[in-house]
Amino acid sequence: MCGIVAAVARREVSEILLEGLRRLEYRGYDSAGMALVDNEGQLQLHKVQGKVARLEEAQALDPILGCTGLAHTRWATHGPPAAVNAHPHVSHERIALVHNGIIENHEELREELAAAGYACVSATDSEVVAHLLHRAMAAGDSLFDALRGVVARLRGAYAIAAADKEDPHTIVAAREGSPLVVGVGIGENFLASDTLALRQVTDRFIYLEEGDLVTMTAASLTVCDAAGESVERPVKRVATGIETVDLGAYEHYMLKEIHEQPQALAATFSSGDGHRIRDAVFGDGAAAAFDSTRCVQIVACGTSYHAGLVARYWLEELAGIPCQVEVASEFRYRRRVAHRDTLLVTVSQSGETADTLAALRHAGAGEFLASLAIANVDNSSLVRESDLVFLTRAGTEIGVASTKAFTTQLVALLMLTIALGRRNGMAESQQQALIDGLHALPELVARVVALDSAIEELAGAFIHKHHALFLGRGVEYPIALEGALKLKEISYIHAEAYPAGELKHGPLALVDADMPVVAVAPTDELLDKLKSNLEEVRSRGGELYVFADGDAGFSAAPGLHLLPMPHAPEVLNPILYTVALQLLAYHVAVQKGTDVDKPRNLAKSVTVE
Ligand code: G6P
């Protein structure tokens, strides 16, 4: 993970770098740093443990200024969060370097450098790169040539930017396996891990390809490909102003993003067409690929994986298409057997998750019929490397715990279910019912969001608990998983989810008055089975927190707390109940006083393996 920002300009850039880091903090926030080449040609450095706000404090107390600079916000992989491990890493007070990714052969490089008299002061894998650059330059290389030689020796994944105080108006960069974009300004140039970091200074971007190297000054910009040939990469204009990253009246991004769901869901569905799902919304060539699709393989991580689990129920039950779902970190390393007419579907908010991207890349030639990416970020690596693309319209999601991205993924996956289902005998009337449901969805979600205060009241019962159990059956089981994930991510309460029928095979042993049990219990064909499972909990003294609609027949009673949900078409329940569980996790975390938007140890975009 980690976020990189760099700038070379004719104006002072420290505030541009800090603003970029604030916008990149979703990528990691355990330490931060910034290096500038000042007017006297000296490297100036601030590094702090903790969030970007601490770097701002350091800058306010002791400002460092310059027209060329690099900055970084870190999510620790090698070496604990500490100022010494924060980037930029410096070699001989001359070279400054920021890195995102993992250098897998850092130990052997470190030994080689030690033999040459270079001592690493940090425990990171990144610092070796700064010293390797210095060694190459001491032997006469230019900064760019040094970088080209050094990256050829690196194994792993990297986005790197470096500056040399002896060449104070130049920044060089390289990318392999970790995202990096160039922001093209007027008489100034920038680099960042994503476009969001630079929207305040430019709307023109170059998305670097794997293996690209960059050298830039305020007035010039050259990109070379992996073979060292100078190449023209297209400059793309990214519309500004569509996405607001301000908190507005909300206390946290997570709450804002939960509230944005009605609009985000409507926008995602409106990319279809009011009356039928057009194949073209999945990209050119979707119709032909869908005609031949006999199976679906979904690959994703985290919350996006849970969206895939829901889609399996939909694809098999509604469209009659066999579907497998797997976490990308397992899928990528497993010897697999796929039916030859299988559509590979990757699901990802960021489009940059390293394991999901690797799963796509490692899918053998000819192993799958075609690849479809369902992603929220245009021009992300998954989007660029997949045959077909559906862009969710969640807008920028800042909170580390994914909310609106998940529910918009579900809309996309339901649209895919309809598109495949109509080729597989799904009745017109059923297609229409699903489409009508999608039209009704934003309004229903708004009704769940309006339950905020009732859910806030329930939350109080969780804040002193150490564990919680989430139960669901059928398609609501993945929603129980997602509810448990939300709670553990932001409140640090250990939460587990079970398909309720599995209770008696183990987790029932854990049930007592200290273990709140949350049940996802809409009216559906498995409701009676679920009720029996819940009785098993009650008769053992467990406290139940039941999310159910009026028809489900629950009444509040000692040991049973009821959160009444709106009645809705069955297919929409996974989305509606998710929103309620998002609010539950949110309020528990707020009442516990944890950092809701930036929970400890996590990052939003996981671009390392
Ligand atoms: C991280 C985030 C999760 C997200 C997962 C997958 O773990 O904290 O919220 O679900 O990555 O990310 P993606 O961008 O691929 O959906």
Side-chain angles (χ1 to χ4, degrees), residues 549-560:
D549 58 64
D551 293 348
F554 289 96
S555 320
L560 193 158

Side-chain angles (χ1 to χ4, degrees), residues 367-387:
E367 186 183 354
F368 294 97
L369 185 69
S371 58
L372 164 65
I374 295 177
N376 193 42
V377 179
D378 199 4
N379 284 303
S380 56
S381 300
L382 268 186
V383 167
R384 284 183 288 138
E385 295 182 27
S386 298
D387 303 321

Side-chain angles (χ1 to χ4, degrees), residues 300-305 347-354 356 382 397 399-403 405 409 482 485-486 489 602-606:
C301 301
T303 287
S304 299
Y305 167 68
V347 185
S348 173
Q349 189 284 128
S350 61
E352 299 289 354
T353 300
T356 311
L382 268 186
E397 192 180 67
V400 165
S402 185
T403 52
Q409 286 165 354
E482 176 58 11
L485 177 63
K486 286 285 90 76
E489 278 179 315
L602 300 180
K604 182 148 195 73
S605 184
V606 183

Side-chain angles (χ1 to χ4, degrees), residues 163-329:
D164 168 23
K165 74 169 187 181
E166 306 291 325
D167 183 4
H169 306 297
T170 301
I171 286 177
V172 295
R175 172 212 165 154
E176 176 75 45
S178 299
L180 194 63
V181 297
V182 176
V184 181
I186 300 169
E188 51 192 14
N189 286 305
F190 309 94
L191 290 159
S193 299
D194 80 21
T195 61
L196 190 64
L198 298 173
R199 299 279 178 88
Q200 80 277 22
V201 282
T202 186
D203 62 354
R204 293 185 302 145
F205 292 94
I206 295 172
Y207 295 88
L208 296 174
E209 306 268 322
E210 294 294 20
D212 278 357
L213 293 149
V214 177
T215 179
M216 63 194 208
T217 66
S220 69
L221 173 67
T222 307
V223 182
C224 291
D225 64 13
E229 298 295 320
S230 174
V231 283
E232 286 289 322
R233 297 274 179 242
V235 178
K236 297 196 174 169
R237 204 170 275 272
V238 174
T240 48
I242 317 170
E243 295 160 346
T244 157
V245 291
D246 296 333
L247 265 176
Y250 293 96
E251 201 183 334
H252 298 102
Y253 282 106
M254 184 179 177
L255 187 62
K256 173 174 180 265
E257 289 158 5
I258 290 172
H259 278 253
E260 283 170 350
Q261 286 178 110
Q263 300 89 298
L265 296 166
T268 299
F269 178 48
S270 72
S271 61
D273 164 321
H275 305 293
R276 72 190 304 270
I277 304 299
R278 289 182 300 113
D279 296 329
V281 298
F282 296 92
D284 295 341
F290 291 174
D291 283 348
S292 307
T293 297
R294 300 289 169 268
C295 306
V296 171
Q297 170 72 63
I298 300 177
V299 181
C301 301
T303 287
S304 299
Y305 167 68
H306 293 159
L309 290 178
V310 173
R312 182 175 60 184
Y313 286 87
W314 288 342
L315 283 162
E316 297 207 342
E317 283 177 15
L318 304 175
I321 306 260
C323 175
Q324 302 212 43
V325 191
E326 191 160 357
V327 287
S329 53

Side-chain angles (χ1 to χ4, degrees), residues 317-348:
E317 283 177 15
L318 304 175
I321 306 260
C323 175
Q324 302 212 43
V325 191
E326 191 160 357
V327 287
S329 53
E330 288 298 314
F331 178 87
R332 64 181 287 193
Y333 289 116
R334 194 165 66 77
R335 205 172 287 166
R336 310 171 296 262
V337 184
H339 187 285
R340 63 193 156 80
D341 294 327
T342 302
L343 178 70
L344 177 66
V345 180
T346 56
V347 185
S348 173

